[in-house]
Amino acid sequence: KKKFDVTNHSLVPKHLKLSDKEKKELLEEYRISLKELPKIRKNDSGIAHLELKEGDVIKIIRPSATAGESIFFRVVVSA
């Protein structure tokens, strides 16, 4: 039986892992700490295909009718 791949679903936005450099730049640009970012669980089906550890930052790109795309950031926490 073929397993359903949630990342191919039209309603699931694109999830990308930031590099350590990108993560540092994001935190510096907004003058925030990891604790201040919204959280996403490591076992979330939208990011299960990525090799992640606690503290990694995910960039979520969602389509937007008005802006073209909206970008959100989440910090990975353990399940």
Side-chain angles (χ1 to χ4, degrees), residues 25-51:
E25 289 171 354
L26 173 76
L27 298 177
E28 287 175 358
E29 180 179 349
Y30 292 103
R31 296 185 179 131
I32 58 172
S33 69
L34 284 178
K35 288 191 270 184
E36 295 173 279
L37 282 173
K39 295 166 182 51
I40 187 168
R41 293 189 183 272
K42 187 177 175 181
N43 63 354
D44 184 287
S45 58
I47 61 171
H49 65 287
L50 300 172
E51 292 185 26

